[in-house]
Amino acid sequence: MSNFIEILAILGLYFGLVLAGELTFELPDNARNCFYELIDKGVKCTLEFQVITGGNYDVDLEINAPSGQVLYKDQKKQYDSFTWTTDQKGEFKFCFSNEFSTFTHKMVYFDFQVGEERPIQPPEGGGHVTALTQLETSAVTIHEALKVIIDYQTHHRLREAQGRGFAEDLNSRVQLWSIGVAIIILIIGVGQVLALRSFFTEKKATAVST
């Protein structure tokens, strides 16, 4: 039991070395959403994003340094990943824009990681070095396995959300098409009935007059 608690403690220290955030948000049409993060100098950062639903599944992205320098700028991207190392300390800004779209809103997912993962440091001191090394190895193995599981879960969640959005959009279009076809069939049917009635009405009128 104590070994298990030590593994959890090591894992907690290991996870605490990296600041990461994931968010899924709705970006309305003609809108621009910006996010801010205070980052120290010399820190490696990675921003990954993907458009889940909406229109052509594309947005504009711009990343700015505290000085106003444009670090990254691209337009109408479905997904992308950008990694950079900060050369100054301050508030970094990254903005997603859907200003080019006039009537479709988008659902955007992004994953922002600040800092690099460092390996677990070997314990200082001479006591129980072998046992603690085994705990470290187990902790690293569990951590790597959890990272793979999280990546798979995120990938499948995004694929599921994207597929669901496409299916719902297709379903609404099929419903509208079906309603339109039904109305057209009804109009044609009523027109044919009225046309046939007019034929018989004209024949009756002719017979009575003769």
Side-chain angles (χ1 to χ4, degrees):
M1 182 66 180
S2 60
N3 290 343
F4 179 71
I5 294 176
E6 291 178 1
I7 291 176
L8 291 180
I10 295 174
L11 277 175
L13 292 174
Y14 195 82
F15 283 125
L17 299 175
V18 179
L19 175 64
E22 297 182 38
L23 180 64
T24 301
F25 67 98
E26 184 174 349
L27 185 61
D29 53 284
N30 293 316
R32 177 183 175 93
N33 284 2
C34 295
F35 302 86
Y36 303 85
E37 185 69 35
L38 289 172
I39 308 175
D40 293 330
K41 182 179 179 180
V43 178
K44 184 178 180 181
C45 305
T46 301
L47 177 62
E48 181 180 359
F49 74 94
Q50 179 178 347
V51 182
I52 303 175
T53 60
N56 294 324
Y57 301 92
D58 53 355
V59 293
D60 299 341
L61 174 62
E62 181 176 338
I63 302 176
N64 299 97
S67 61
Q69 176 188 1
V70 178
L71 303 176
Y72 173 94
K73 185 176 182 179
D74 211 338
Q75 297 178 341
K76 296 185 177 181
K77 297 286 290 186
Q78 295 182 349
Y79 59 89
D80 202 3
S81 178
F82 178 66
T83 302
W84 79 99
T85 301
T86 59
D87 57 357
Q88 53 186 299
K89 180 180 179 181
E91 188 176 66
F92 288 77
K93 178 177 71 171
F94 55 98
C95 298
F96 295 92
S97 174
N98 192 30
E99 294 174 329
F100 59 88
S101 179
T102 56
F103 59 90
T104 57
H105 64 277
K106 312 288 175 63
M107 192 70 69
V108 183
Y109 160 85
F110 73 85
D111 180 11
F112 187 45
Q113 296 183 356
V114 179
E116 292 185 292
E117 294 181 348
R118 293 175 292 174
I120 301 176
Q121 299 295 328
E124 298 180 357
H128 305 289
V129 175
T130 303
L132 289 176
T133 302
Q134 292 176 354
L135 286 176
E136 288 176 358
T137 303
S138 300
V140 172
T141 303
I142 294 172
H143 173 68
E144 294 298 329
L146 289 175
K147 282 178 59 180
V148 173
I149 292 172
I150 291 172
D151 290 340
Y152 272 115
Q153 286 179 336
T154 302
H155 173 73
H156 286 296
R157 280 200 303 267
L158 293 177
R159 289 289 298 274
E160 179 186 4
Q162 193 172 29
R164 181 179 180 85
F166 177 78
E168 290 179 350
D169 182 60
L170 181 62
N171 180 54
S172 62
R173 292 186 181 185
V174 170
Q175 285 183 343
L176 292 176
W177 174 259
S178 301
I179 293 172
V181 170
I183 293 174
I184 292 173
I185 292 174
L186 181 62
I187 293 174
I188 292 175
V190 172
Q192 288 178 343
V193 170
L194 293 177
L196 289 174
R197 285 188 61 183
S198 66
F199 292 156
F200 289 107
T201 304
E202 289 178 0
K203 287 183 178 180
K204 284 184 179 181
T206 304
V208 170
S209 63
T210 55

